[in-house]
Amino acid sequence: MKRRTFTLGGAAAATALLLAACGEGRTGETGGGEDAGTGFDAGATIGVSLPWLGTQNWAEAQAMFKEQLEAAGFTPLIQAADNKVPQQQQQIEAMIQQGAKAIVVGPIDGTQLGSALAAAKDAGVRVLGYDRLIENTDAVDGVVQFGSIRTGELQGQSLLDGLAERKGDGPYNIELFGGGPADPNAPNFFEGAMSVLQPKIDDGTLVVVSGQTDFQQCATQDWDNGKAQARMDSLLAANYSDTPIHGVLSPNDGIARAIITSCKSAGQDIPVVDGLDAETESIKSIWAGEQYSTVHKPTKDLVAKTVEIISAFQKGEEAPAADETEDNGVIEVPIYALDPIVVTKENAQEVFADDPDRLALLEG
Ligand code: BGC
């Protein structure tokens, strides 16, 4: 289990001031964990290496990094790696060659970028993890994400809430799905969800009919919706031919819709299914009363936080104070953690009040 340390931004900042006043300590030692650097050119190239564009959040990130980096005066160099680790390694190496001063990375596999990022560090390039942790390297200046354990807790709680709301009294028959095992978020989402669900499995309120409760059994290779649908088809055929399924834990929206499709073709009533990303198709499904919920992590805010940190690096300022740190196997990485939000049919209009594209899906 990963260890997280929560820091108090205000107290850390006060300590930094005190140390600076006493002429002791390195600048930034207790802030974002970063030394204030010498800064770089205001129009510098900034690399953004995304893992793939297979879910809506990454496609949004691609568009929003372009828009927000340009608005901040930088020259964006944005690439996506189609879920292939060697391709991502090469893209990062090319960004260094092309003179990027900072590189933002959403890793395909959190553990496989060591040498590419070491090369970045040697070249004096700042490295920020985006949405996913970067593991087993000291060549990372921070990670900007929505709390991944928190996301899983919200998913687990929403599944419980939906069961109580839509499926009468328990016990409830459920199945569990996880995301792609190489993605450091996936085990964290699962762990967060299980912290809520396990006590209810233990007291008999929830019954995992297949008995599959380990992350490895429940994971979905490469976050592939087709693989999730095939697993759901098999689970239903093997365990639910004469039993209803009431709920399914889903790590994201694409997998949630695959699960619902599978249940419909097996002739089941639609189970309570949570999700992640507030994707267009899932918002429509929630509004139509099918998918129960999603967890919204507004990409715009995550990109804005990332660009804010890059701007501090550019000016040679100390990075803003991080919210917590996480042991990545080599160092305590400063984590900038934003708060994810659960969305159901009930609160969707309120949550998307300032998001015209999503709000427009809630008509009719
Ligand atoms: C992201 C999710 C996304 C998934 C698959 C995760 O790391 O946090 O938003 O659905 O990757 O792309």
Side-chain angles (χ1 to χ4, degrees), residues 166-215:
R166 293 195 174 169
K167 299 289 177 183
D169 293 335
Y172 307 107
N173 297 333
I174 66 160
E175 294 298 332
L176 308 169
F177 280 71
D183 172 359
N185 279 340
N188 283 3
F189 294 162
F190 196 78
E191 182 187 322
M194 288 307 272
S195 71
V196 176
L197 300 178
Q198 190 64 54
K200 300 291 179 189
I201 295 173
D202 294 343
D203 74 12
T205 307
L206 300 176
V207 182
V208 182
V209 177
S210 69
Q212 298 183 13
T213 56
D214 289 341
F215 173 70

Side-chain angles (χ1 to χ4, degrees), residues 10 34 39 49 52 76 95 119 126 128 168 195 201 204 208 243 254 258 260 271 278 353 357 362:
E34 291 318 310
S49 169
W52 69 328
M95 287 170 184
R126 297 298 198 132
L128 286 177
S195 71
I201 295 173
V208 182
T243 314
I260 291 171
D357 292 341
L362 307 180

Side-chain angles (χ1 to χ4, degrees), residues 52 55 57-58 131-132 183 185 189 223 252 276-277 297:
W52 69 328
T55 50
N57 63 304
W58 298 111
D131 190 89
R132 299 177 174 178
D183 172 359
N185 279 340
F189 294 162
W223 288 97
N252 77 356
L276 176 67
D277 293 337
K297 0 184 232 100

Side-chain angles (χ1 to χ4, degrees), residues 223-244:
W223 288 97
D224 181 328
N225 300 342
K227 289 183 179 137
Q229 193 165 328
R231 176 169 175 256
M232 192 68 213
D233 289 346
S234 315
L235 289 171
L236 290 170
N239 304 284
Y240 293 89
S241 51
D242 49 14
T243 314

Side-chain angles (χ1 to χ4, degrees), residues 67-100:
E67 192 184 306
Q68 294 193 31
L69 283 169
E70 281 176 355
F74 296 115
T75 307
L77 174 57
I78 304 172
Q79 291 188 312
D82 199 22
N83 254 343
K84 296 186 180 71
V85 172
Q87 194 174 329
Q88 185 164 45
Q89 290 164 337
Q90 284 156 15
Q91 288 177 346
I92 292 172
E93 278 153 17
M95 287 170 184
I96 303 168
Q97 295 306 318
Q98 289 174 59

